[in-house]
Amino acid sequence: MRILVVDDDPIILDLLADTLTEGQGYHLDMHTSAEAGLEALNASKDPFDCILLDIMLPGIDGIQMCQKLRESTRFCSTPILMITSSGEVGLMARAFEAGATDFINKPFSPDELSARVAMAGLLNQSLAKAQHTMSTLSDQIRLRFEEAIDLETDGLSSALAIENELLRNRSECFAMSMFSINIVGLRGIYRSVRAPAFRRVLETAAAAAVTVLEDRHFKLAYVGQGRFVGVILGRGRVDYDDLSARFENRLREIWQTVPTGVPVAPDFAIAAISSQRFWSGMSASDTLRRYLSAGANPQVLSSNEENDLFARLDRKLSETT
């Protein structure tokens, strides 16, 4: 059991080392300040099963360190046992609010210490099993290809949010370009990878698009079937060839084979939904609705065409093996 210990009292550190020994399966990494403990946590490649943290520390105190750890995805559920010589109720309440799991009061007996740490180890194992179960369940959930999946990508909006934004300018005339990004062959990816990998494909494409649009006033949404719709506000003309080239470069830079289950970044098509450049909120909203209800852009392969393409690809692969 790997335990990170942060306490500035050398007597306490010696007592911990004498009680939680290597022979009992404990591996202690001890530090005398929160700053050193945080650095050790961030540098460690292997996870810690438990953290023993003194409340009263020089510099960053134990409560502040506990709060920092709970704000991190990596340590949000790691058991944290606070070590304290104070019986102040308010101090303990603050520690629990910061995310502490349990308390160990000084002076503590070896038996009490061993029991509390053992309980923390069991808690950590239970959390790990629960996370594994949730991961397995999410892996089995099948997303619908047509679904406008809610992607966890900063800068991404929704079609409804874009429409509401346009309707705020119901009677005013404003300059805007409306466009689409279509991931070609996504149906084949959808049927060949599991739900988490399919989601990662979409999130990677979304991240690439947000990056190349970040210097513009834009809104972008995923609307299902491998389609994104977006608007760029402003009078300037959009060079879609340049936009496509930059999107392609960025997508290749950030593409990861293992999490997506796809060896190379897919092809795509970026095109204007309309050549109109000056809009009212109502006309823009109507155009967006018509595009969404009309289905995929003609440049994108139909379901039958994609199925035929992948069938021919399967036959070609079987001939070469």
Side-chain angles (χ1 to χ4, degrees), residues 249-271:
N249 289 336
R250 182 57 181 162
L251 189 60
R252 288 178 176 176
E253 285 176 0
I254 65 175
W255 193 260
Q256 295 180 305
T257 298
V258 174
T260 63
V262 182
V264 294
D267 292 330
F268 60 90
I270 300 181

Side-chain angles (χ1 to χ4, degrees), residues 7 98 104 270 283-284 297:
D7 198 309
I104 299 177
I270 300 181
S283 66
N297 188 292

Side-chain angles (χ1 to χ4, degrees), residues 232-304:
I232 297 176
L233 299 173
R235 294 176 177 269
R237 290 185 179 275
V238 177
D239 185 339
Y240 289 106
D241 290 337
D242 175 69
L243 191 63
S244 294
R246 292 194 293 125
F247 177 77
E248 180 180 15
N249 289 336
R250 182 57 181 162
L251 189 60
R252 288 178 176 176
E253 285 176 0
I254 65 175
W255 193 260
Q256 295 180 305
T257 298
V258 174
T260 63
V262 182
V264 294
D267 292 330
F268 60 90
I270 300 181
I273 291 176
S274 170
S275 60
Q276 184 173 335
R277 296 182 60 220
F278 291 93
W279 307 77
S280 69
M282 186 62 70
S283 66
S285 175
D286 288 344
T287 300
L288 178 60
R289 287 185 180 182
R290 284 196 300 270
Y291 174 79
L292 295 178
S293 62
N297 188 292
Q299 298 181 49
V300 180
L301 298 179
S302 69
S303 174
N304 289 337

Side-chain angles (χ1 to χ4, degrees), residues 10 22 29 47 54 61 119 121 124 141 159 165 187 216 231 241 245 248 258 266 286 297 316-317 319:
E22 292 275 347
D29 185 3
D54 188 15
D61 64 31
M119 286 298 296
N124 193 54
I141 296 173
E165 179 80 12
R187 194 183 301 275
R216 301 170 182 262
V231 297
D241 290 337
E248 180 180 15
V258 174
D286 288 344
N297 188 292
K316 187 67 175 176
L317 290 173
E319 290 171 2

Side-chain angles (χ1 to χ4, degrees), residues 5 16 23 27 43 50 69 83 90 123 128 133 140 176 180-181 184 188 198 203 211 223 254 259 273 281 291 304 307:
V5 180
L16 291 172
H27 306 279
C50 177
L69 294 176
I83 303 174
L123 174 61
T133 301
Q140 294 172 347
M176 183 192 72
S180 66
I181 303 175
V184 179
F198 180 69
E203 288 176 345
T211 299
V223 296
I254 65 175
I273 291 176
Y291 174 79
N304 289 337
N307 288 335

Side-chain angles (χ1 to χ4, degrees), residues 118-134:
M119 286 298 296
L122 292 174
L123 174 61
N124 193 54
Q125 291 176 15
S126 298
L127 290 172
K129 288 180 180 178
Q131 290 171 354
H132 176 72
T133 301
M134 290 301 295

Side-chain angles (χ1 to χ4, degrees), residues 210-228:
V210 168
T211 299
V212 300
L213 292 168
E214 62 186 1
D215 60 342
R216 301 170 182 262
H217 186 187
F218 77 96
K219 295 285 184 181
L220 184 70
Y222 179 68
V223 296
Q225 301 182 52
R227 297 184 297 158
F228 293 83

